[in-house]
Structures are given as structure tokens and as C-alpha cells.
């Protein structure tokens, strides 16, 4: 197995975070970097942008409204742009009018294979899309930054609270394959829980994403001012680390739309994901003067952002003939709004700074 030689090169044992880094982002074998398109309809799982173009189209409607109220254009940045589905549906919905709303568009994606895919997919539209692996913004330019399932795809440390103290879970390479190991956790991990006011119970397993706060802060600082729309699975620290809800942590693996906890099996061929601690992203915002506009389930966000009006405008509303097109559109919308699924499990964190933040606050807080 390719990962055994990587682990052996690192001394035969690596922290779980290093294992997850290799499994998801190894340049040749990583889940996101090896060249196959792992998610979407034929893949392992759906994200909101890959589930339906109605997600991007609804955000596009909100972007137009922001531009009208703002009286000008601004930059749109999609962090972790994946296969380009989000920007694709936003730009399709805006059509030729994209140039009146957006001063520029940037797709930020870590995987080079996916960057190529995005560039090919979005070439030749009304608005040129800059595709990059690292966003360096212009702090004077108002920006709307969007990130769907970026933070839950970042490698995490795995720890277990024991009577003897906090241990870090490791992955050991052996002739028989991979097995779990444990070693004392570093003080940085102990401090993380102290900072968030969390006490793990004996026997409780939890994840720590050490990059989330700094990465989010870097993005917000790079934008200078604007709005951040962060869509992800997660909880605030007090719930995320509540042993009654998640005694075994939130880390899971996805393969062919099946979820399980076999996270060491077939590395590079299955997704690994851990819930976001929203407080990490709140701390990041507070440190650079951004304020929270809201944290709400995806369904509520889409309704506040005007999905019902978009559906009516497109002719699929209550009065529409029940032909195949209407039924298909309604199925997709139902999936995004599903209170037993995406509509409530995925949450949108909205943060803002400056005039764009004020405008989005007004749009999302109007009566629905
Ligand atoms: C779960 S997928 C989500 C893709 C897309 N946003 C969507 O919702 O369909 C996670 C994506 O994040 C990308 N990614 C992870 N870390 C990143 C980083 N630091 N900067 C940019 N992209 C990153 C991965 O390569 C992968 O394409």
C-alpha cells in the first residue's frame, strides 16, 4: 500500500492529522488530488453546489441584489472551489449581467487537477475567472467570499481523554497494514480545549482542526471588507465536544454515498471529514474586526436569500404545469431544503465587515 512507504519514511508512526493529510492530499494518491472526481452525483457524496444548480442560482440572486443596493461591483471568491459547480451555477444564473454585478471572480482550489477542471469548465464566460491555489486579495476591494465544505475537508488531530491525560491518536504502519497507536498529546492540543472552555470526559474522542482559525483569518484579512458565506457541517464548541452527543467524535468516512467510521481503510479512495468548530471561525472574525450576521441551517439561508422567488421567476412555482422539468427542479430544491438532510445538517455562517456586510444583514434579516 502506497501510504505504508510514506509512513515508514516518517519513522513508522504518524499523528492522525498527517495520515489524513496524505489520504486526502498526497500529490499522486490523495482523494482530492489523484484525478478522479470523488464527489457529485456519481461519486461518494453530494455537496450543496453539486446537489443542485439552485444553490448557486439563489446565491446569484442575492449577489445581484447586493450590487443594486451597494450601487457598484465587487469581487466574488470561491474558496475550495472543487469542480467549479458553485461558480458555474452563479455565473450561468447571472448570465451577461455578471459584468454589472462582479468586478472579478476568483476560484481558490488546493488540488491542481481540480484547478485545471475549473479553468476548463469556466472558460469563455462573460467574466474571466482567475483560478489559483492561494487567495491573495486586495484589501481595498469589497469582496464576497464563499466556502462550501472547505473547513470540514481539512486534516485534523484526533485525541482521546484518558485517566493518564490527553493522548493523540496515531497511525502505525506494520507489515500487516495500518493500526492505531497513541502518544501523549502536545500542549498545543491541551491549550486548544482550554481556550474553548471544553473539558473532555474520560474515554471521549475528539478532533482538533488546528488550521481552521488561522486559515479563515487569512482569508478575511485578505478580503479587507465584505461578506463571508461559509457553508459546512459543524457545531459550536459547547455542542461539538459534548460527550452526550459525540463521545466518539465526528470524524467519518464517505464512500459511494455510504458513511462509516473505517477511516484507516483504503486511504485515498474514501473521503474523510470532521465537523467544524464554528467558534474557531468566530474567533478568526473577531480578531480582524468582522462581525457575525448569522449562523443558520442551509434551508433557512436559502429561503431568506430568496429561493422561492427564484423558483417562481423560473416558472417552477405553485402554478407550474407538472411536467418532467418541473418535477426534476422541485426534487432538487427539496433536497437542498430537506429538514431531514442537507437543509438542516448543513449550516451557513455569515460574517461581514463594512457596507457589504450591512447590506447582507438587511437582506437576510427581512421578514420571510
Ligand atoms: C468537500 S470538497 C468541497 C468542494 C466544493 N466547495 C463543493 O462544495 O462542492 C473540499 C474541497 O476543498 C479543497 N481544499 C481543501 N483545503 C483547501 C485549501 N486550503 N485551499 C483551497 N482548497 C482547499 C479540496 O481540494 C476539495 O476540492
Amino acid at each position: 500500500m502506497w501510504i505504508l512507504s510514506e509512513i515508514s519514511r516518517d519513522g513508522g508512526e504518524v499523528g492522525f492529522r498527517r495520515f489524513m493529510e496524505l489520504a486526502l492530499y498526497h500529490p499522486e494518491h490523495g482523494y482530492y488530488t489523484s484525478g478522479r472526481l470523488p464527489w457529485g452525483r456519481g461519486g461518494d457524496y453530494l455537496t450543496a453546489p453539486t446537489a443542485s444548480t439552485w444553490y448557486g442560482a439563489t446565491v446569484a440572486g442575492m449577489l445581484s441584489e447586493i450590487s443594486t443596493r451597494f450601487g457598484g461591483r465587487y469581487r466574488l471568491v470561491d474558496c475550495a472551489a472543487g469542480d467549479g459547480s458553485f461558480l458555474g451555477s452563479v455565473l450561468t444564473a447571472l448570465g451577461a449581467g455578471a459584468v454589472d454585478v462582479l468586478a472579478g471572480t476568483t476560484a481558490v482550489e488546493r488540488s491542481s487537477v481540480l484547478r485545471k477542471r475549473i479553468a476548463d469548465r469556466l472558460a469563455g464566460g462573460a467574466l474571466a475567472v482567475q483560478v489559483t491555489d492561494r487567495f491573495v486579495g486586495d484589501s481595498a476591494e469589497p469582496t464576497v467570499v464563499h466556502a462550501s465544505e472547505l473547513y470540514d475537508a481539512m486534516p485534523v488531530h484526533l485525541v482521546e481523554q484518558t485517566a493518564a491525560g490527553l493522548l493523540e491518536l496515531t497511525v502505525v504502519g506494520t507489515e500487516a497494514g495500518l493500526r492505531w497507536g497513541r502518544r501523549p498529546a502536545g500542549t498545543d492540543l491541551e491549550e486548544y480545549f482550554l481556550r474553548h472552555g471544553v473539558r473532555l470526559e474520560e474515554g471521549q474522542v475528539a478532533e482538533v482542526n488546528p488550521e481552521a482559525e488561522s486559515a479563515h483569518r487569512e482569508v478575511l484579512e485578505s478580503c479587507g471588507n465584505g461578506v463571508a458565506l461559509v457553508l459546512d457541517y459543524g457545531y459550536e464548541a459547547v455542542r461539538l465536544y459534548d460527550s452526550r452527543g459525540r463521545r466518539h467524535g465526528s470524524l467519518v468516512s464517505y464512500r459511494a454515498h455510504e458513511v462509516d467510521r473505517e477511516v484507516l481503510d483504503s486511504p485515498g479512495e474514501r473521503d474523510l471529514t470532521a465537523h467544524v468548530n464554528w467558534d474557531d471561525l468566530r474567533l478568526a472574525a473577531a480578531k480582524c474586526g468582522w462581525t457575525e450576521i448569522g449562523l443558520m441551517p442551509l434551508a433557512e439561508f436559502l429561503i431568506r436569500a430568496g429561493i422561492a422567488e427564484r423558483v417562481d421567476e423560473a416558472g417552477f412555482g405553485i402554478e407550474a404545469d407538472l411536467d418532467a422539468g418541473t418535477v426534476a427542479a422541485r426534487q432538487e430544491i427539496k433536497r437542498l431544503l430537506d429538514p431531514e438532510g442537507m437543509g438542516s445538517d448543513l449550516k451557513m455562517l455569515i460574517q461581514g465587515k463594512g457596507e457589504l456586510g450591512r447590506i447582507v444583514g438587511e437582506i437576510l434579516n427581512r421578514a420571510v
Side-chain angles (χ1 to χ4, degrees):
M1 198 188 340
W2 64 271
I3 207 160
L4 284 172
S5 52
E6 294 290 339
I7 293 176
S8 147
R9 210 170 299 152
D10 281 359
E13 177 176 15
V14 293
F16 179 78
R17 181 177 175 227
R18 171 73 180 142
F19 168 82
M20 187 164 166
E21 168 79 26
L22 290 167
L24 295 185
Y25 301 108
H26 182 280
E28 203 182 326
H29 303 287
Y31 183 75
Y32 287 116
T33 38
S34 64
R36 66 193 190 97
L37 190 55
W39 74 107
R41 279 164 200 263
D44 294 324
Y45 63 96
L46 284 170
T47 60
T50 54
S52 171
T53 54
W54 286 99
Y55 173 74
T58 303
V59 176
M62 190 174 92
L63 295 176
S64 286
E65 188 173 349
I66 295 172
S67 164
T68 306
R69 292 187 185 212
F70 181 53
R73 303 184 304 158
Y74 51 85
R75 177 165 290 276
L76 174 65
V77 179
D78 188 24
C79 283
D83 66 352
S85 288
F86 172 71
L87 286 180
S89 35
V90 166
L91 294 174
T92 301
L94 291 175
V99 291
D100 301 321
V101 174
L102 302 175
T105 310
T106 307
V108 190
E109 172 49 57
R110 178 173 178 173
S111 158
S112 61
V113 192
L114 292 174
R115 285 200 298 280
K116 165 93 177 56
R117 204 180 284 254
I118 297 166
D120 291 347
R121 177 175 185 163
L122 302 179
L127 199 69
V129 177
Q130 176 197 19
V131 185
T132 175
D133 62 342
R134 195 143 182 272
F135 173 53
V136 182
D138 168 356
S139 58
E141 185 177 41
T143 301
V144 171
V145 61
H146 170 265
S148 156
E149 298 205 40
L150 162 61
Y151 296 104
D152 76 358
M154 286 183 169
V156 291
H157 293 291
L158 206 50
V159 297
E160 181 177 358
Q161 186 65 53
T162 70
L166 191 66
L167 299 182
E168 179 188 4
L169 272 74
T170 62
V171 180
V172 184
T174 72
E175 278 182 11
L178 300 171
R179 70 164 174 80
W180 289 104
R182 282 167 176 72
R183 64 189 179 198
T187 49
D188 51 333
L189 294 175
E190 308 234 11
E191 279 162 15
Y192 178 87
F193 292 107
L194 280 176
R195 195 160 63 246
H196 286 283
V198 169
R199 275 175 68 100
L200 300 179
E201 284 192 0
E202 206 177 305
Q204 187 177 347
V205 173
E207 302 86 24
V208 171
N209 180 342
E211 262 182 283
E213 184 189 327
S214 56
H216 192 53
R217 186 173 174 185
E218 197 179 309
V219 168
L220 297 184
E221 279 177 342
S222 197
C223 293
N225 73 97
V227 173
L229 303 171
V230 182
L231 184 68
D232 228 314
Y233 293 95
Y235 296 103
E236 295 155 338
V238 67
R239 280 195 66 197
L240 181 62
Y241 297 118
D242 183 343
S243 69
R244 286 168 300 182
R246 264 160 298 284
R247 188 170 171 74
H248 303 289
S250 68
L251 179 73
V252 288
S253 147
Y254 279 93
R255 197 173 186 182
H257 298 274
E258 296 283 331
V259 60
D260 66 46
R261 289 188 174 265
E262 305 308 320
V263 295
L264 297 191
D265 283 2
S266 43
E269 291 170 32
R270 51 175 65 224
D271 184 34
L272 301 174
T273 174
H275 281 10
V276 171
N277 173 1
W278 291 118
D279 291 332
D280 280 333
L281 309 188
R282 288 176 162 160
L283 279 173
K287 283 180 181 166
C288 49
W290 285 59
T291 51
E292 184 162 326
I293 296 168
L295 174 63
M296 57 188 80
L298 172 62
E300 182 181 340
F301 169 78
L302 290 173
I303 289 165
R304 290 184 181 277
I307 194 168
E309 291 79 351
R310 298 279 98 68
V311 171
D312 274 342
E313 276 164 25
F316 295 120
I318 201 103
E319 315 267 284
D321 290 339
L322 268 188
D323 57 16
T326 308
V327 172
R330 287 188 183 168
Q331 291 283 10
E332 287 190 9
I333 294 157
K334 230 161 93 184
R335 190 197 294 269
L336 290 174
L337 300 182
D338 184 2
E340 304 285 320
M342 241 181 218
S344 76
D345 294 347
L346 274 169
K347 306 272 186 324
M348 184 70 92
L349 174 69
I350 308 115
Q351 298 167 320
K353 184 174 180 179
E355 184 62 3
L356 290 192
R358 191 191 61 72
I359 291 169
V360 169
E362 275 178 14
I363 294 174
L364 294 179
N365 287 317
R366 67 188 158 202
V368 286

